[in-house]
Amino acid sequence: MKNKPLVSLLMITKNAEDFLFYALKSTYNFVDQIIIADDMSTDSTIDIIKSFPEKKITLIRENFNRDKQRQRNTCLALAKGIWCLVQDDDEVYASNQLEWLRKFIQSNDAVKYNEIFFKMLW
């Protein structure tokens, strides 16, 4: 039996070419699965997504009519991970935060929690 992925990344996007590469680069190696719901971007968003190895990315392109809740729920329905990391298309995480998080959720202490929040620095 194949092991269940530990972390699924959920991202919704539309025309995010300015920061998307950096956002995905900051989390790609940390997560086991990436699900991106794109609301029919007209810029280079799709090219940026396709520049990453496809093995862990599921891309849904659909006209969501700016319904972010439906976009997020679409991602959530496809998530296979024990944990979900919700990342905006313009958020970049520091690797030390993600290394700490991965170690923590693999520890026995993580079973006491059902969500973890990071303080974001702008």
Side-chain angles (χ1 to χ4, degrees):
M1 183 172 146
K2 191 176 179 185
N3 290 342
K4 184 171 181 142
L6 182 62
V7 182
S8 293
L9 183 139
L10 313 179
M11 181 182 288
I12 64 173
T13 191
K14 177 160 182 138
N15 295 332
E17 67 185 5
D18 292 339
F19 298 104
L20 180 62
F21 174 81
Y22 304 104
L24 282 173
K25 185 174 184 200
S26 75
T27 52
Y28 185 88
N29 290 326
F30 167 75
V31 300
D32 304 297
Q33 175 189 31
I34 300 172
I35 305 146
I36 303 172
D38 176 71
D39 193 3
M40 302 307 289
S41 290
T42 57
D43 64 359
S44 63
T45 293
I46 301 305
D47 294 331
I48 292 167
I49 295 166
K50 289 182 176 182
S51 73
F52 287 84
E54 294 179 21
K55 64 182 177 180
K56 63 170 90 173
I57 297 178
T58 300
L59 172 63
I60 301 98
R61 290 199 77 202
E62 189 176 315
N63 187 353
F64 289 97
N65 293 311
R66 301 179 204 256
D67 184 345
K68 293 182 179 187
Q69 181 178 359
R70 190 163 68 85
Q71 270 181 283
R72 186 81 69 211
N73 287 339
T74 297
C75 290
L76 192 55
L78 296 171
K80 296 178 181 158
I82 296 168
W83 289 85
C84 291
L85 173 62
V86 178
Q87 180 183 14
D88 287 348
D89 56 15
D90 63 351
E91 290 178 341
V92 177
Y93 287 92
S95 61
N96 62 339
Q97 284 180 310
L98 297 176
E99 289 168 13
W100 173 88
L101 180 61
R102 188 148 187 117
K103 285 178 187 174
F104 177 76
I105 62 180
Q106 288 174 319
S107 75
N108 290 330
D109 291 333
V111 298
K112 301 173 191 172
Y113 300 92
N114 60 11
E115 59 188 349
I116 301 167
F117 290 94
F118 277 108
K119 180 178 180 182
M120 294 297 293
L121 302 175
W122 298 100

